[in-house]
Amino acid sequence: MSRELDQRCIDTIRFLAVDMVQKANSGHPGLPLDAAPMAYVLWSRFLKFNPKNPAWADRDRFVLSAGHGSALLYALLYMFGYDLSLDDIRQFRQWDSRTPGHPEREHTPGVEVTTGPLGQGIANAVGMAMAEAQLAARYNRDGHTLIDHRTYALVSDGDLMEGVASEAASLAGHLGLGKLICLYDDNYVSLAAGTDITFTEDRAARFRAYGWQTIEVADGNDLDAIDGALQQAQADTRRPSLILLRTHLGYGSPKQDSYEAHGSPLGVEDVRLTKEKLRWPTEPAFLVPDDALAACREACARGAKEEQEWERRRQAHARAQPDLAQELERSLRGELPPGWDADIPVFKADAKGMATREASGKVMNAIAPKLPALTGGSADLDPSTKTALKGFGDFNPPATPGEDEQGSAGGGWSYAGRNLHFGVREHAMGAIVNGMAAHGGTIPYGATFLIFSDYMRPPIRLAAISRLHVVHVFTHDSIALGEDGPTHQPVEQLANLRAIPNLTLIRPGDANETAVAWRVALETKGRPVLLALSRQAVPTLDRDRYAAADGLRRGAYVLSDAAHGHPDVILIASGAEVGLIVAAAERLRGEGIAVRCVSMPSWDLFDAQPQAHRDAVLPPSVRARLAVEAGSPQGWHRYVGDAGDVIGVDRFGASAPGEVMLEHYGFTVDNVVARAKALLQRTRAP
Ligand SMILES: Cc1ncc(C[n+]2csc(CCOP(=O)(O)OP(=O)(O)O)c2C)c(N)n1
């Protein structure tokens, strides 16, 4: 292709983005103007994709980590033939358009992940590269290479300033993810100023210290240099690569190299001047020369051919390895294999019981052999979260003889390992599992203490926004964890996490509810699921006496009821406090009080039930309702009503043994009984 045509393609992309921002009177023109050349070289010469099938499993992944540059991505998607029209481009940032302010997964074809909060995208890309490495190691066979693609991310200063990027890059370097390539738009300017006042470290040296290959391109407009850098990046298969491209924010505009080019339209006059400077027709807006469009759209034929070749390989693989192929295809479709849950144990009634984290570990290990897509790990807390899949290998570069192998779940160290070791990097863990889920082929989980969900709230929220099926396993879910004290004891976390839309939070009450919670977690589609689990043992309820644990599926259910179903008072609890209300109910019944006991492991599941079910569990006529949960009482009045009462935790915890904590904070049978009686008195008073 001629240089002139290359340039015309780049300028088309540039000015589509500029015109989008100008028409919307909102958005970020600076990055598209400077990053268009690198994006164009990548997309036209390196990226493997089929615009007509954005879901093709073996496509390269492209992440615009600097999501504020969304206009660049939409211009690329349009030019390269995705299902996006020029009208969509004109509707940038408008109600119900396919070109929202920041890229949204499942909203615009070709958008791999939702980005905008800086730093998340690069960490998502690490997760995608991990998923690729794992699936390749598990499913490719000699002569049959089915999974073989790269992950590219375009990252900005802001991305690299965020801590999550450091966590993720550090892990990627350790893991030697050679198919991860990041293009760093090194333009010396961020939103409010030049980076000289905030960000002056040697970024290349920093990434080399993480174990990355770094490649510097002195002029981000030099297409040959970009091409060479990408070739060099691809050639190193043992290290991730960071290509640092020196660019100029708002290239060609009067605001070039100024933060003013960053976050607002250039303005009519400056748009004109920029077009003149780069020798682009000032009218009409949204100009797309035919030859530029045709040149970019060659990607459609190229992509279709590549996918066809892959399809032939897939069929050969399926003939040679039918079982393996079927397994992979099912995982890629996001389907659970028949009988995946057949070995989930039923836990016997036991007054002493077991911690729900313990039960969770047993359930996970019963599922793992039958559900190949299940993969995950913890942020350096495996012994506490009980989330290791025993014997299923540890995801790491193959161990060299003599290397320290402590911490192994067994089954060998290689990219085929299903146990991921995140290190103490909660924030990256959240973003990495998002990237893995977005990649497809896995159902990833991440685990830590519930308190440290605070370190990973941004990716939890993004998983919910972008409908990603990930499972969070958060243990040590209350003050009852004991001696570690207030820094480790969650108080407001449940309330806080419950406020996130499209997230299913389940706090199971005993071992059998935990088993059902895992079933729900894995059957769920299109949303993240969070399990809050106890550190301490809780009684395993006798399900002959109490209702079946399957009631968890409906969010809340009646465990035991007053005679004839006419309670004077309803006791409601979640998680570890269920055993407490069960014991209190026995005592109250002994005193002749009609009590209903409700286990309420999930507000989200309950709220999704028809009104009839909700009223059947919590009849509006019964005003004496007492909720018991070792967390912030915030929100519980929705279920206990104005007349009801809540035993919760409204101050920080303290360092003491768990039982002592529970006693001091009122989580005793005596207190539940006393508060229930007081409540009855109040609600009966004329
Ligand atoms: C976590 C987070 N904090 C703040 C912002 C608001 N914001 C959007 S872009 C930006 C900085 C942009 O600088 P840079 O990353 O260098 O991008 P460029 O200037 O090259 O467009 C900021 C602070 C954000 N999107 N995400």
Side-chain angles (χ1 to χ4, degrees), residues 19-27 74 87-102 104 107 286:
D19 288 337
M20 286 163 85
V21 173
Q22 189 58 38
K23 178 160 187 289
N25 197 23
S26 156
Y74 300 141
D87 277 344
D88 292 323
I89 292 287
R90 288 196 181 93
Q91 288 303 306
F92 182 51
R93 292 189 156 222
Q94 303 310 304
W95 173 256
D96 213 17
S97 87
R98 301 172 82 204
T99 47
H102 292 86
E104 294 179 28
H107 191 88
F286 300 101

Side-chain angles (χ1 to χ4, degrees), residues 28 30-32 34 66-69 102 116-120 155-162 184-193 195 247 249 259 261-263:
H28 303 254
L31 182 146
D34 76 35
H68 60 276
H102 292 86
L118 289 162
Q120 297 295 321
V155 308
S156 66
D157 295 305
D159 283 308
L160 297 192
M161 280 191 252
E162 290 290 352
Y184 167 33
D185 178 25
D186 187 7
N187 63 23
Y188 290 31
V189 186
S190 59
L191 186 146
T195 53
T247 57
L249 185 75
Y259 72 93
H262 172 86

